[in-house]
Amino acid sequence: MKNSNALSLVLCIGILIVIGCSCPQMAEIQKEIDKAGKTTPSPTTSSTPAKTSSDDSELTLEKFNQIKNGMTYDECVEIIGSEGNQTVSSGEGKYKFESYKWDGPNYQFIMLSFMGGKLNSKAQNGLK
């Protein structure tokens, strides 16, 4: 009985150590959340959004639908009109996986994932 209590204690300590080691990853996630919150535009009195020089990089459903599996990151950037924020990068060569996110106002986003330099999945939220 005493040995099982000691074993449980050691197991709990081990789990806490593993959770503690993942804290740097949590900091990166929080940075992404903070960054997304800063992209929301401040309210204006005008009924139409103000035009800016970055309107070419506005996220739209039309642009999203032009993006097809097999495209390169550069081809996708050309369609969207701006660079994305890299959220994941791992592996090498044909096994290299990368994910990028473009944030827009009101929680709009485009997320693209590449394997070996080619688009293999895409997702969006709130695009019009």
Side-chain angles (χ1 to χ4, degrees):
M1 188 87 161
K2 213 175 196 182
N3 286 339
S4 67
N5 286 340
L7 182 59
S8 295
L9 180 62
V10 169
L11 183 59
C12 287
I13 291 171
I15 290 171
L16 290 173
I17 289 171
V18 169
I19 291 172
C21 291
S22 68
C23 284
Q25 293 172 347
M26 294 302 292
E28 289 298 317
I29 292 170
Q30 186 61 48
K31 284 180 188 176
E32 286 295 318
I33 291 170
D34 292 343
K35 191 178 208 180
K38 290 178 185 174
T39 61
T40 304
S42 60
T44 62
T45 57
S46 172
S47 61
T48 57
K51 296 287 182 186
T52 65
S53 61
S54 64
D55 282 348
D56 290 345
S57 63
E58 181 181 352
L59 303 182
T60 65
L61 189 57
E62 180 182 350
K63 289 179 181 180
F64 179 78
N65 289 335
Q66 291 176 29
I67 298 169
K68 304 293 181 197
N69 283 349
M71 288 183 159
T72 65
Y73 172 77
D74 290 335
E75 290 171 320
C76 295
V77 166
E78 188 174 318
I79 291 169
I80 295 171
S82 66
E83 297 277 327
N85 295 313
Q86 188 175 56
T87 58
V88 176
S89 179
S90 66
E92 294 180 17
K94 68 180 184 178
Y95 299 108
K96 183 169 187 169
F97 176 81
E98 296 175 293
S99 182
Y100 294 87
K101 185 177 182 188
W102 287 259
D103 289 306
N106 302 320
Y107 305 104
Q108 292 177 336
F109 69 82
I110 292 177
M111 184 165 276
L112 305 177
S113 299
F114 299 84
M115 180 64 91
K118 300 291 183 179
L119 181 69
N120 70 347
S121 70
K122 65 180 189 172
Q124 64 88 15
N125 182 64
L127 301 182
K128 296 177 184 177

